[in-house]
Amino acid sequence: MTQQHSDSSNPAPAGQLAVITGGAAGIGRFLGQHFATRGWDIAFCDIAPAADDTLAAIEALGRRAMYQPCDVGEAEQVEAFYSTLEQTFGTGPDLVVNNAGCQTWAPLLELDEADWDRVIGTNLKGTFLNTQRAARSMIEHAAGGSIVNIGSGCNQRAFPKLVDCSASKGGVEMFTKSAAIELGKHGIRVNCVAPGGILIERTRVEAPDYAASWANITPLDRVGYPRDIADAVEFFASRKSCFVTGQTLFVDGGVFAQANWPYRDDESKAS
């Protein structure tokens, strides 16, 4: 297993601290680098083997960075991650992005119980555990903060052969609302960013024509990119959203806003 890495040779700067779960690759990796370019220090966890490269990329941007292996669905590992974070930076996080997630491509009647448990444990339980532990840290350090949960189009639409992911992401949206209500008195805002089709390494492998396929059904006529998600997360992390909590922002180019429509554009309208 990859060992914990951190740079604690200098005291923490005045910049803010962002935590990103599932931060080694894909959207998580982009988020870490994006916020580092904005002056944030970054602490991330993952179980992916690419973590060392991501750590080096963030440090190359001149920010302090910490990585620790962590299964977000395991309470002891989550506790160890935040304890190390607090020791390393001397404070709690200002921003937490619950990005870690997984899915199983299988129809309901063939879905294994172990796969169901893995997906629910990562996507939903992981969001709960990290939100709970991060909020305790924010309250202890009297910092307030922002928690952003990464949802999906599965928040509001049932996707074929994604039973476990759909159930977990629907749960994430309702958990976001509940957490926002309870944590508001502590100055902690909780929101959800729900991506549509986003072109990353994983989706390129899943479907070579991924970009064209999603652009074809998206009102904005393109696929999404990690930058689109980072901009939305940055909004929720900033004072521009200081009176916004318990909300879900769909970053999907409008694809999940449109209804199934039986008529083609070139068909004549009814008189």
Side-chain angles (χ1 to χ4, degrees), residues 31 35 95 97 148 150 193 229-238:
L31 286 170
F35 277 92
L95 167 68
V97 185
V148 181
I150 302 299
V193 170
I229 306 307
D231 286 343
V233 173
E234 187 174 9
F235 166 71
F236 282 132
S238 73

Side-chain angles (χ1 to χ4, degrees), residues 166-191:
S166 296
S168 69
K169 293 300 186 178
V172 164
E173 179 158 9
M174 289 309 300
F175 174 78
T176 297
K177 296 177 187 296
S178 296
I181 292 169
E182 293 204 20
L183 297 177
K185 64 184 178 183
H186 300 290
I188 300 171
R189 296 178 293 107
V190 188
N191 292 287

Side-chain angles (χ1 to χ4, degrees), residues 185-255:
K185 64 184 178 183
H186 300 290
I188 300 171
R189 296 178 293 107
V190 188
N191 292 287
C192 178
V193 170
I198 306 297
L199 188 63
I200 56 175
E201 298 94 328
R202 175 181 58 80
T203 54
R204 285 190 181 96
V205 172
E206 289 176 355
D209 60 346
Y210 187 87
S213 296
W214 280 92
N216 187 52
I217 64 170
T218 300
L220 290 183
D221 292 324
R222 70 170 175 88
V223 73
Y225 298 97
R227 176 61 183 265
D228 297 311
I229 306 307
D231 286 343
V233 173
E234 187 174 9
F235 166 71
F236 282 132
S238 73
R239 285 200 54 79
K240 292 181 179 180
S241 63
C242 65
F243 201 54
V244 180
T245 195
Q247 302 303 307
T248 295
L249 175 60
F250 286 90
V251 184
D252 61 5
V255 69

Side-chain angles (χ1 to χ4, degrees), residues 49-223:
D52 288 339
D53 292 341
T54 301
L55 181 75
I58 293 171
E59 290 177 335
L61 294 170
R63 303 310 306 172
R64 301 181 76 214
M66 185 202 96
Y67 160 66
Q68 183 161 303
C70 176
D71 182 336
V72 296
E74 296 292 335
E76 290 184 0
Q77 294 186 38
V78 171
E79 175 60 35
F81 171 69
Y82 283 92
S83 294
T84 302
L85 176 155
E86 290 165 342
Q87 293 170 10
T88 300
F89 294 95
T91 187
D94 300 285
L95 167 68
V96 174
V97 185
N98 284 307
N99 169 73
C102 60
Q103 64 187 39
T104 305
W105 186 259
L108 171 63
L109 298 182
E110 299 174 15
L111 180 62
D112 290 336
E113 180 182 359
D115 287 329
W116 169 272
D117 289 344
R118 176 178 60 90
V119 172
I120 297 296
T122 301
N123 299 1
L124 185 53
K125 184 180 178 183
T127 297
F128 153 66
L129 289 175
N130 279 270
T131 296
Q132 183 184 67
R133 181 58 178 84
R136 287 172 177 166
S137 183
M138 290 174 175
I139 293 168
E140 179 183 351
H141 293 89
S146 175
I147 298 173
V148 181
N149 301 323
I150 302 299
S152 164
C154 290
N155 283 32
Q156 64 174 353
R157 295 285 187 272
F159 283 19
K161 297 184 180 180
L162 286 176
V163 179
D164 46 13
C165 186
S166 296
S168 69
K169 293 300 186 178
V172 164
E173 179 158 9
M174 289 309 300
F175 174 78
T176 297
K177 296 177 187 296
S178 296
I181 292 169
E182 293 204 20
L183 297 177
K185 64 184 178 183
H186 300 290
I188 300 171
R189 296 178 293 107
V190 188
N191 292 287
C192 178
V193 170
I198 306 297
L199 188 63
I200 56 175
E201 298 94 328
R202 175 181 58 80
T203 54
R204 285 190 181 96
V205 172
E206 289 176 355
D209 60 346
Y210 187 87
S213 296
W214 280 92
N216 187 52
I217 64 170
T218 300
L220 290 183
D221 292 324
R222 70 170 175 88
V223 73

